[in-house]
Each structure stands twice: as structure tokens, then as C-alpha cells.
Amino acid sequence: MECREAQKLIRDYMYGQLPADKKEDFVSHIRSCRDCYEELDIYYMVEVGLNGLRDDRLNNMDLKNRLEQELEDLETEVQQQRTNTFFRYSLLTLSYLAAGVIFLLQLRIWLLP
Ligand SMILES: [Zn+2]
């Protein structure tokens, strides 16, 4: 993901509207790009600190820790999704294999005398 796209997504992220298929790229870009992290940091300070966004969760954690915690939560979510996808594909592959084996066994019954 490029900086321009990541910075466009910051607003979506802040409002919890980050598209599911962008989450992984977004968080890994934010983690690896200092400029975009700072951009997000500033946006976060303004939106959460000044405008009271998310004030349901306003507690004794300072803003930097909260942003850090949110990014970790997002990483965990992305990781879980990746694991789920892996298992889904594994199951799908296994069921195709099973269907193939069954078909071959059936073929043997049909063809052998
Ligand atoms: Zn960047």
C-alpha cells in the first residue's frame, strides 16, 4: 500500500469504517511507515482528544497508549482472519480430495468385474 492510499484510509479507520480487505495492508503500512503513523497519530489526537470521538472508552489510558492498543487489536483481528481463511481453504481442499477419492472408489466398483 502506498502512503497516499494509507492516508486516505486514516479517516475510515478513525470512524471504524476501514474496509475488511484493506485492514491488513493498512495496519502493516502504518507499522512500517513513520510518516503515516505520525499522520494517524495527529488525526487520532485531534479526533479522540479534542472532538471526544470514542469517549465511551475514555479512561485513564493516555491517547498514545490507546492508539497503540487499537492498532494491536487490529493486528490481532487481521491475524485471526488470516487463520480463519487458512482453515477454510484447508477444509475446502480436504473436501475436494475426499470427493475425489470417493469418486475413484466408485469408479473402481463400476469398472471392475
Ligand atoms: Zn506511508
Side-chain angles (χ1 to χ4, degrees):
M1 179 176 286
E2 289 181 11
C3 293
R4 213 158 47 94
E5 191 182 359
Q7 292 184 7
K8 255 168 55 185
L9 289 170
I10 286 177
R11 209 184 135 76
D12 292 340
Y13 169 75
M14 288 302 305
Y15 287 90
Q17 291 169 342
L18 201 57
D21 61 337
K22 300 279 187 197
K23 285 179 178 174
E24 185 171 355
D25 287 347
F26 178 77
V27 74
S28 78
H29 184 90
I30 292 294
R31 285 302 196 196
S32 61
C33 176
R34 204 176 161 71
D35 288 347
C36 290
Y37 183 86
E38 276 170 10
E39 183 87 12
L40 173 62
D41 197 35
I42 290 166
Y43 208 100
Y44 196 88
M45 294 294 169
V46 171
E47 292 294 321
V48 177
L50 300 180
N51 296 339
L53 193 70
R54 292 167 208 211
D55 62 1
D56 54 319
R57 287 204 278 152
L58 203 58
N59 52 31
N60 53 10
M61 255 198 289
D62 71 25
L63 290 175
K64 245 188 162 72
N65 286 340
R66 283 176 58 188
L67 175 58
E68 200 49 44
Q69 184 60 51
E70 283 191 21
L71 287 175
E72 277 171 28
D73 290 349
L74 185 59
E75 281 171 323
T76 307
E77 184 189 330
V78 163
Q79 190 57 48
Q80 276 168 350
Q81 260 164 8
R82 203 190 287 179
T83 310
N84 288 348
T85 306
F86 172 77
F87 280 114
R88 221 177 12 249
Y89 280 117
S90 305
L91 261 179
L92 207 62
T93 306
L94 272 178
S95 55
Y96 280 126
L97 279 176
V101 168
I102 290 168
F103 176 73
L104 287 175
L105 289 175
Q106 186 61 49
L107 211 59
R108 214 178 63 160
I109 293 170
W110 283 334
L111 296 181
L112 290 183

